[in-house]
Each structure stands twice: as C-alpha cells, then as structure tokens.
Amino acid sequence: MKKIRLLGTFAFIIFSCSIFIESANSSPAQSAARAVLKAKRCYDATPSTYKKGMLTSMSRAVTHWSDGNKFSKANQAQMANYNFQTAKTYANMVLQIGRAYRITACN
C-alpha cells in the first residue's frame, strides 16, 4: 500500500512540476511526463498479482523524470534530455508488460 501511495505522490509531483520546466527542455519533458502518467494509469489498472513485475520499471521511470527535471532547472540540457528519454523508456516497459497481461488501460 505504501508503494502505491508513493507512486501516486510521484505522479502528482511529475504533473505539477511539468508546469515549471524551462522552454528549452519543455518538449522532451512534457513527452516524458505524458508517458510516465500513462504508465501510472496502466499500473493502477493492473491487478495486484501482476504489479510486482511492473514496480521496478515504474519507480525508475518516475525517478528518471524527477532527475531530468532537476537537471533542467540546473540548465544542464544534455543530462536532462537523457533522463527524460530514459524515463520514457521505462514507462514504455510498464506499458508493454500491461499489454502482455491484456490490461485495457495500457493501450
């Protein structure tokens, strides 16, 4: 239950922080934020017996998005973009796992 609340908190942080991202990195950041939020909806719709396989990828997606946001605020565009791209990759892994389990929210 703690992990679900933690992921919910991270999703809220991602959504609220996406407003404050600098314009130079806004496109990759917004794209990554959309991917992570979609993965979060997929994760939430997944039965608890299957969530264990998704948890690592979901938490890494959130962590990399958060790190990308930090680098963006520090005007380190290359590191920010790397982290945003990595967040999208992990979010897509969550979606692929959900699709394998035929979870409709993961499409």
Side-chain angles (χ1 to χ4, degrees):
M1 203 60 160
K2 281 185 176 182
K3 292 178 183 180
I4 293 172
R5 284 187 182 180
L6 180 64
L7 288 176
T9 303
F10 283 137
F12 176 74
I13 290 170
I14 288 172
F15 181 73
S16 62
C17 289
S18 67
I19 298 169
F20 301 108
I21 296 174
E22 296 178 20
S23 62
N25 293 320
S26 65
S27 180
Q30 289 176 355
S31 174
R34 282 192 298 270
V36 171
L37 289 174
K38 185 173 181 178
K40 173 73 170 93
R41 285 191 295 270
C42 173
Y43 180 83
D44 288 342
T46 303
S48 61
T49 55
Y50 301 133
K51 283 186 178 182
K52 185 176 180 181
M54 302 169 108
L55 182 61
T56 302
S57 295
M58 188 67 224
S59 64
R60 287 182 182 171
V62 171
T63 300
H64 279 284
W65 192 93
S66 178
D67 290 346
N69 193 31
K70 290 174 189 174
F71 282 117
S72 177
K73 289 179 181 179
N75 292 323
Q76 296 181 2
Q78 186 175 6
M79 287 301 294
N81 288 337
Y82 167 77
N83 278 286
F84 290 139
Q85 188 62 37
T86 305
K88 283 179 60 175
T89 300
Y90 280 116
N92 286 331
M93 290 172 66
V94 171
L95 294 171
Q96 287 178 352
I97 293 168
R99 288 182 196 123
Y101 291 131
R102 299 179 189 259
I103 309 298
T104 56
C106 301
N107 292 328

